[in-house]
Short mmCIF file of all heavy atoms in Angstrom, two decimals:
data_model
loop_
_atom_site.label_atom_id
_atom_site.label_comp_id
_atom_site.label_asym_id
_atom_site.label_seq_id
_atom_site.Cartn_x
_atom_site.Cartn_y
_atom_site.Cartn_z
N ARG A 1405 -10.80 34.98 -7.64
CA ARG A 1405 -11.02 36.40 -7.90
C ARG A 1405 -12.11 36.96 -6.96
O ARG A 1405 -11.99 38.09 -6.47
CB ARG A 1405 -11.43 36.63 -9.36
CG ARG A 1405 -10.31 36.41 -10.36
CD ARG A 1405 -10.65 36.88 -11.74
NE ARG A 1405 -11.67 36.04 -12.35
CZ ARG A 1405 -11.39 34.97 -13.11
NH1 ARG A 1405 -10.16 34.63 -13.35
NH2 ARG A 1405 -12.39 34.28 -13.67
N ALA A 1408 -10.45 37.48 -3.69
CA ALA A 1408 -9.55 38.63 -3.78
C ALA A 1408 -10.32 39.96 -3.68
O ALA A 1408 -9.85 40.94 -3.10
CB ALA A 1408 -8.71 38.59 -5.03
N GLY A 1416 -6.96 50.53 -7.28
CA GLY A 1416 -6.23 49.53 -8.07
C GLY A 1416 -4.98 49.01 -7.34
O GLY A 1416 -4.13 48.41 -7.95
N GLY A 1430 0.80 30.58 -9.17
CA GLY A 1430 0.46 31.98 -9.45
C GLY A 1430 -1.02 32.23 -9.72
O GLY A 1430 -1.37 33.38 -10.08
N ALA A 1431 -1.87 31.27 -9.50
CA ALA A 1431 -3.30 31.51 -9.73
C ALA A 1431 -3.84 32.56 -8.77
O ALA A 1431 -4.61 33.46 -9.14
CB ALA A 1431 -4.11 30.20 -9.58
N SER A 1432 -3.43 32.48 -7.48
CA SER A 1432 -3.87 33.47 -6.53
C SER A 1432 -3.25 34.84 -6.81
O SER A 1432 -3.87 35.90 -6.59
CB SER A 1432 -3.54 33.04 -5.10
OG SER A 1432 -2.19 32.73 -4.95
N THR A 1433 -2.01 34.84 -7.31
CA THR A 1433 -1.35 36.10 -7.68
C THR A 1433 -2.09 36.78 -8.83
O THR A 1433 -2.33 38.01 -8.78
CB THR A 1433 0.10 35.82 -8.12
OG1 THR A 1433 0.72 34.89 -7.23
CG2 THR A 1433 0.91 37.09 -8.19
N ALA A 1434 -2.53 36.00 -9.80
CA ALA A 1434 -3.30 36.57 -10.91
C ALA A 1434 -4.63 37.10 -10.40
O ALA A 1434 -5.11 38.14 -10.87
CB ALA A 1434 -3.53 35.50 -11.96
N ALA A 1435 -5.24 36.38 -9.43
CA ALA A 1435 -6.49 36.87 -8.88
C ALA A 1435 -6.29 38.23 -8.17
O ALA A 1435 -7.11 39.12 -8.28
CB ALA A 1435 -7.06 35.85 -7.92
N LEU A 1436 -5.21 38.38 -7.43
CA LEU A 1436 -4.89 39.64 -6.80
C LEU A 1436 -4.69 40.74 -7.82
O LEU A 1436 -5.19 41.85 -7.63
CB LEU A 1436 -3.66 39.49 -5.92
CG LEU A 1436 -3.84 38.76 -4.59
CD1 LEU A 1436 -2.49 38.49 -3.94
CD2 LEU A 1436 -4.73 39.57 -3.67
N LEU A 1437 -3.97 40.45 -8.89
CA LEU A 1437 -3.74 41.45 -9.91
C LEU A 1437 -5.02 41.88 -10.60
O LEU A 1437 -5.14 43.02 -11.08
CB LEU A 1437 -2.74 40.93 -10.94
CG LEU A 1437 -1.28 40.86 -10.47
CD1 LEU A 1437 -0.44 40.12 -11.50
CD2 LEU A 1437 -0.73 42.26 -10.22
N SER A 1438 -6.01 40.98 -10.64
CA SER A 1438 -7.28 41.35 -11.28
C SER A 1438 -8.02 42.43 -10.48
O SER A 1438 -8.83 43.17 -11.06
CB SER A 1438 -8.17 40.11 -11.42
OG SER A 1438 -8.72 39.70 -10.16
N VAL A 1439 -7.75 42.55 -9.19
CA VAL A 1439 -8.42 43.55 -8.37
C VAL A 1439 -7.45 44.68 -7.94
O VAL A 1439 -7.93 45.74 -7.52
CB VAL A 1439 -9.06 42.92 -7.11
CG1 VAL A 1439 -10.08 41.90 -7.53
CG2 VAL A 1439 -8.04 42.31 -6.18
N ALA A 1440 -6.15 44.41 -8.02
CA ALA A 1440 -5.16 45.43 -7.58
C ALA A 1440 -3.96 45.39 -8.50
O ALA A 1440 -2.85 45.02 -8.11
CB ALA A 1440 -4.75 45.13 -6.14
N PRO A 1441 -4.15 45.80 -9.78
CA PRO A 1441 -3.06 45.66 -10.77
C PRO A 1441 -1.86 46.54 -10.46
O PRO A 1441 -0.78 46.33 -10.98
CB PRO A 1441 -3.71 46.10 -12.06
CG PRO A 1441 -4.91 46.91 -11.67
CD PRO A 1441 -5.39 46.32 -10.38
N GLU A 1442 -2.04 47.61 -9.63
CA GLU A 1442 -0.94 48.51 -9.33
C GLU A 1442 -0.21 48.17 -8.01
O GLU A 1442 0.74 48.87 -7.62
CB GLU A 1442 -1.49 49.94 -9.20
CG GLU A 1442 -2.23 50.42 -10.45
CD GLU A 1442 -1.33 50.43 -11.67
OE1 GLU A 1442 -0.16 50.79 -11.54
OE2 GLU A 1442 -1.80 50.04 -12.77
N ALA A 1443 -0.65 47.11 -7.34
CA ALA A 1443 -0.06 46.78 -6.04
C ALA A 1443 1.32 46.16 -6.18
O ALA A 1443 1.62 45.51 -7.20
CB ALA A 1443 -0.96 45.84 -5.25
N GLU A 1444 2.14 46.31 -5.13
CA GLU A 1444 3.35 45.50 -5.01
C GLU A 1444 2.97 44.20 -4.34
O GLU A 1444 2.37 44.21 -3.24
CB GLU A 1444 4.36 46.22 -4.15
CG GLU A 1444 5.62 45.40 -3.86
CD GLU A 1444 6.52 46.01 -2.81
OE1 GLU A 1444 6.31 47.23 -2.49
OE2 GLU A 1444 7.39 45.32 -2.28
N ILE A 1445 3.23 43.09 -5.00
CA ILE A 1445 2.81 41.77 -4.47
C ILE A 1445 4.04 40.92 -4.18
O ILE A 1445 4.88 40.74 -5.04
CB ILE A 1445 1.90 41.05 -5.48
CG1 ILE A 1445 0.61 41.87 -5.68
CG2 ILE A 1445 1.54 39.64 -4.96
CD1 ILE A 1445 -0.32 41.29 -6.73
N SER A 1462 4.33 35.56 -17.28
CA SER A 1462 4.60 36.96 -17.44
C SER A 1462 3.90 37.76 -16.34
O SER A 1462 2.68 37.61 -16.11
CB SER A 1462 4.08 37.44 -18.80
OG SER A 1462 4.26 38.83 -18.96
N TRP A 1463 4.68 38.58 -15.63
CA TRP A 1463 4.13 39.32 -14.50
C TRP A 1463 4.60 40.77 -14.56
O TRP A 1463 5.67 41.06 -15.11
CB TRP A 1463 4.62 38.73 -13.18
CG TRP A 1463 4.25 37.30 -12.98
CD1 TRP A 1463 5.10 36.21 -13.15
CD2 TRP A 1463 2.98 36.77 -12.58
NE1 TRP A 1463 4.41 35.06 -12.89
CE2 TRP A 1463 3.10 35.38 -12.54
CE3 TRP A 1463 1.76 37.38 -12.29
CZ2 TRP A 1463 2.05 34.55 -12.20
CZ3 TRP A 1463 0.70 36.55 -11.92
CH2 TRP A 1463 0.85 35.17 -11.88
N PRO A 1464 3.80 41.68 -13.98
CA PRO A 1464 4.26 43.07 -13.88
C PRO A 1464 5.49 43.19 -12.98
O PRO A 1464 5.81 42.28 -12.17
CB PRO A 1464 3.07 43.78 -13.26
CG PRO A 1464 1.91 42.87 -13.39
CD PRO A 1464 2.46 41.48 -13.45
N GLY A 1466 5.95 44.75 -10.38
CA GLY A 1466 5.67 44.83 -8.96
C GLY A 1466 5.48 43.50 -8.27
O GLY A 1466 5.24 43.42 -7.05
N VAL A 1467 5.56 42.38 -9.02
CA VAL A 1467 5.38 41.04 -8.44
C VAL A 1467 6.72 40.40 -8.19
O VAL A 1467 7.57 40.36 -9.05
CB VAL A 1467 4.53 40.16 -9.37
CG1 VAL A 1467 4.44 38.73 -8.84
CG2 VAL A 1467 3.13 40.75 -9.59
#
Side-chain angles (χ1 to χ4, degrees):
R1405 289 190 291 268
S1432 55
T1433 316
L1436 284 170
L1437 286 171
S1438 74
V1439 300
E1442 303 300 320
E1444 175 191 346
I1445 298 175
S1462 177
W1463 301 102
V1467 175

